[in-house]
Amino acid sequence: MGRPKIPWLVAREALLAIGRGATIDQAAVVAGVSPRAVDQLVSEHGRMLHLEGHKPRADVLTVGEREVTSIDVVYGRV
């Protein structure tokens, strides 16, 4: 029969806790599941990064700037 599926909202809480820097054990407590379940979630879904308050570097192009550059390249303006 296999293991019961963890609801996505529970899985998300565990993965977000990992993304904020929590250990597997800490994320398990937050989500109310076993550490083994969190370990399996990380294996299945990878790590999620919580980017709240994230500030990009000043020298990185914005999405809009990348689009303009792409258009310029396509039309030979560069």
Side-chain angles (χ1 to χ4, degrees):
M1 196 160 122
R3 63 183 166 90
K5 187 168 174 78
I6 296 173
W8 174 242
L9 291 177
V10 174
R12 183 177 180 274
E13 286 303 314
L15 293 171
L16 283 172
I18 294 285
R20 288 189 295 264
T23 65
I24 297 274
D25 291 334
Q26 292 167 336
V29 170
V30 167
V33 296
S34 71
R36 178 69 183 135
V38 174
D39 191 43
Q40 289 174 338
L41 287 168
V42 170
S43 293
E44 290 174 21
H45 300 285
R47 294 185 179 266
M48 294 175 70
L49 296 177
H50 186 70
L51 298 177
E52 184 177 305
H54 172 73
K55 302 268 193 272
R57 294 186 341 238
D59 61 337
V60 175
L61 295 176
T62 65
V63 173
E65 291 168 331
R66 289 172 195 241
E67 289 176 356
V68 169
T69 301
S70 295
I71 291 168
D72 287 347
V73 168
V74 168
Y75 290 103
R77 297 183 201 151
V78 176

